[in-house]
Amino acid sequence: MAQRILIVDDAAFMRMMIKDILTKNGFNVVGEAQDGVQAVEKYNELEPDLVTMDITMPEKDGITALKEIKTKHPNAKIIMCSAMGQQAMVIDAIQAGAKDFIVKPFQSDRVIEAIQKALN
């Protein structure tokens, strides 16, 4: 069965890019969210196998959303997406329980590698 993935990013273009990479590689994108508030709601509703989570978003940032999801779902698998120059936030995210991180602009082979590693 295809792995179920939730994509979280405030930029529709970035969500579309990740969705394109994932669907071409046989993953099932079950939902999308544009901020951390929606991310937590959608996670609770869909319980996906994995989440790709942007770090910098309005309303609630990715690290706060990650912590909330991990509190309720300790086995949640979340990969952070960051722009260059966000190393300190990436370290915070890993310490908060993120499985990995991918850097924008996305390289499709790196995205797939990170997701496969997190799911195994």
Side-chain angles (χ1 to χ4, degrees), residues 14-114:
M14 288 297 175
R15 291 196 308 270
M16 190 182 73
M17 275 180 65
I18 296 177
K19 186 175 187 173
D20 188 50
I21 292 168
L22 296 177
T23 51
K24 280 182 179 162
N25 285 278
F27 293 97
N28 179 14
V29 175
V30 291
E32 295 181 27
Q34 58 191 14
D35 61 47
V37 175
Q38 282 185 2
V40 174
E41 289 170 2
K42 293 258 185 179
Y43 191 95
N44 290 333
E45 175 192 327
L46 302 167
E47 295 199 7
D49 298 310
L50 184 128
V51 180
T52 63
M53 176 94 66
D54 188 18
I55 289 182
T56 315
M57 295 181 290
E59 299 293 324
K60 183 182 288 181
D61 67 68
I63 295 174
T64 305
L66 162 79
K67 289 175 181 171
E68 274 185 40
I69 291 169
K70 291 293 270 185
T71 299
K72 200 169 174 186
H73 307 273
N75 296 326
K77 294 179 175 153
I78 301 172
I79 294 176
M80 303 308 287
C81 305
S82 72
M84 286 299 220
Q86 291 183 322
Q87 278 80 358
M89 284 191 264
V90 167
I91 291 166
D92 287 348
I94 300 291
Q95 288 170 339
K99 292 282 183 199
D100 203 345
F101 67 95
I102 47 181
V103 179
K104 298 174 185 179
F106 302 117
Q107 306 291 318
S108 59
D109 53 349
R110 173 67 187 115
V111 171
I112 298 306
E113 176 195 322

